[in-house]
Amino acid sequence: MGQRGVKQPKGQDKNIQEELKRHGDIPTHIAIIMDGNGRWAQKRGLPRIAGHNEGVESVRDIVETCGQLGVKYLTLYAFSTENWKRPKEEVSMLMRLLMRALRDETDKLHQNNVRVHTVGETSSLPREVQDELRDAIEKTKENTGLNLLLALSYSGRWDITSAVKRIAEHVHQGKLKPGEINDQVFSKYLSTRDIPDPDLLIRTSGELRISNFLLWQLAYSEIVISNSYWPEFRRKDIYEAIGEFQKRERRFGMVSEQLHSTKKKNNVLKQLFKSVPG
Ligand code: FPP
């Protein structure tokens, strides 16, 4: 068996990726609201599920590209708490699609050194989906490349209320004092506890909402909206989004001069994001 590692880019891809890496910082954590599958299908006179099917191709391409670029965390909003309210047939088709995608892709993800995680209330997913997820997580748990977080049955309010419940329990049990609660402590009770906050949030299909995604974690994320529907969002679109991200100045509430030199900026970032590993 060959050595595990990221499949290397070739030709134009290789040039663009090298240029992006030279030009500025590659975001450590990218979060994506994958939107527009239904509209993509509708525009082509196809059933909505055709959009979700094609959306899996985009997932494949974006995961591979992020791995090649050295992105450490990629969080995909694959199924929200609110998505349970969709017609029953669409929900069960999405679950089947997810199951099939996991079954078909886990080996390749493993080969590419990707580690799979989930965030969300996964216990409410069908048993077979939970089994596939457990297998994918178990198989890839030693991998050291891209961390792929699948947000499933997830919502930001669910994440925050779950954290509050556990904090209340710990206070009640005397494990935590109310005075000890600050934003760093609170973050440790969220489903993303050991993961740095997203640097970049991308939403596809031109919508301007965060739709109950990582409400706490997105506090200082740069937001890039792409007009492409998710099924047509491919590597060229993520290059564009990262290029846009690199043009932004992230001030974290400070003034421009405080961040002026790159060295200073990096130190400030390190201080601000103490939870960022390495
Ligand atoms: C939003 O489009 C998309 C979803 C709710 C599901 C996303 C799921 C996938 C791309 C497939 C499975 C994912 C993985 C990780 C393998 P929409 O249906 O809301 O589109 P619309 O706004 O045009 O109706």
Side-chain angles (χ1 to χ4, degrees):
M1 196 157 84
Q3 207 189 348
R4 279 204 312 284
V6 182
K7 185 180 150 201
Q8 292 307 312
K10 293 193 192 94
Q12 184 67 345
D13 261 327
K14 186 168 181 263
N15 297 339
I16 298 175
Q17 292 188 12
E18 278 171 4
E19 183 54 36
L20 275 174
K21 287 179 193 172
R22 245 195 323 268
H23 186 257
D25 294 336
I26 297 294
T28 300
H29 185 171
I30 300 180
I32 307 186
I33 302 178
M34 309 182 286
D35 194 18
N37 292 357
R39 278 164 287 161
W40 180 90
Q42 200 177 25
K43 232 175 79 179
R44 288 161 178 76
L46 298 168
R48 292 177 58 81
I49 190 65
H52 297 313
N53 267 322
E54 192 60 24
V56 175
E57 298 303 317
S58 298
V59 170
R60 198 175 282 137
D61 196 39
I62 296 307
V63 168
E64 184 175 292
T65 309
C66 284
Q68 292 170 340
L69 282 165
V71 172
K72 284 309 290 176
Y73 302 90
L74 173 67
T75 304
L76 299 177
Y77 205 8
F79 194 83
S80 72
T81 308
E82 288 76 23
N83 286 154
W84 288 114
K85 295 183 204 144
R86 289 193 174 196
K88 245 187 164 152
E89 312 78 67
E90 181 165 344
V91 170
S92 57
M93 279 192 289
L94 272 168
M95 291 300 144
R96 277 204 299 277
L97 186 65
L98 188 62
M99 211 168 65
R100 212 175 48 231
L102 286 163
R103 198 173 287 160
D104 295 348
E105 299 298 327
T106 297
D107 283 349
K108 194 165 161 228
L109 290 170
H110 185 48
Q111 273 299 315
N112 278 288
N113 202 17
V114 175
R115 181 170 176 187
V116 178
H117 311 254
T118 56
V119 285
E121 205 173 7
T122 48
S123 58
S124 55
L125 298 167
R127 170 61 47 203
E128 314 82 72
V129 177
Q130 290 187 45
D131 291 346
E132 290 295 338
L133 283 168
R134 204 198 36 243
D135 291 352
I137 291 166
E138 180 59 29
K139 179 156 197 174
T140 62
K141 71 177 185 209
E142 307 288 344
N143 290 345
T144 54
L146 174 72
N147 288 280
L148 173 63
L149 279 81
L150 300 175
L152 291 162
S153 194
Y154 177 87
S155 73
R157 288 182 178 178
W158 166 83
D159 207 354
I160 291 169
T161 49
S162 307
V164 170
K165 280 182 205 159
R166 290 213 303 124
I167 286 175
E169 274 165 25
H170 283 184
V171 169
H172 183 67
Q173 293 161 359
K175 290 182 185 163
L176 183 70
K177 295 191 182 75
E180 290 169 345
I181 303 167
N182 57 30
D183 62 355
Q184 279 174 7
V185 170
F186 190 85
S187 296
K188 295 282 173 205
Y189 283 84
L190 293 166
S191 59
T192 47
R193 57 194 66 85
D194 295 319
I195 290 158
D197 290 340
D199 305 287
L200 170 62
L201 169 72
I202 300 172
R203 181 168 188 148
T204 62
S205 91
E207 301 286 349
L208 304 172
R209 288 186 296 280
I210 47 174
S211 297
N212 211 353
F213 195 23
L214 302 157
L215 296 179
W216 172 279
Q217 298 87 336
L218 292 173
Y220 284 103
S221 309
E222 293 297 326
I223 302 179
V224 171
I225 304 293
S226 165
N227 286 324
S228 302
Y229 292 134
W230 177 252
E232 59 202 7
F233 187 93
R234 298 294 162 94
R235 52 186 63 212
K236 68 169 177 16
D237 302 283
I238 202 126
Y239 297 149
E240 254 176 55
I242 294 174
E244 174 65 34
F245 167 83
Q246 290 179 337
K247 283 192 227 149
R248 309 266 178 96
E249 181 186 63
R250 304 183 75 198
R251 291 199 299 275
F252 304 97
M254 288 176 274
V255 298
S256 197
E257 289 70 30
Q258 289 174 285
L259 304 160
H260 217 56
S261 76
T262 313
K263 204 168 163 200
K264 232 184 205 172
K265 185 171 144 185
N266 287 342
N267 285 339
V268 171
L269 283 176
K270 257 187 216 144
Q271 264 184 0
L272 282 165
F273 288 133
K274 281 211 178 84
S275 57
V276 180

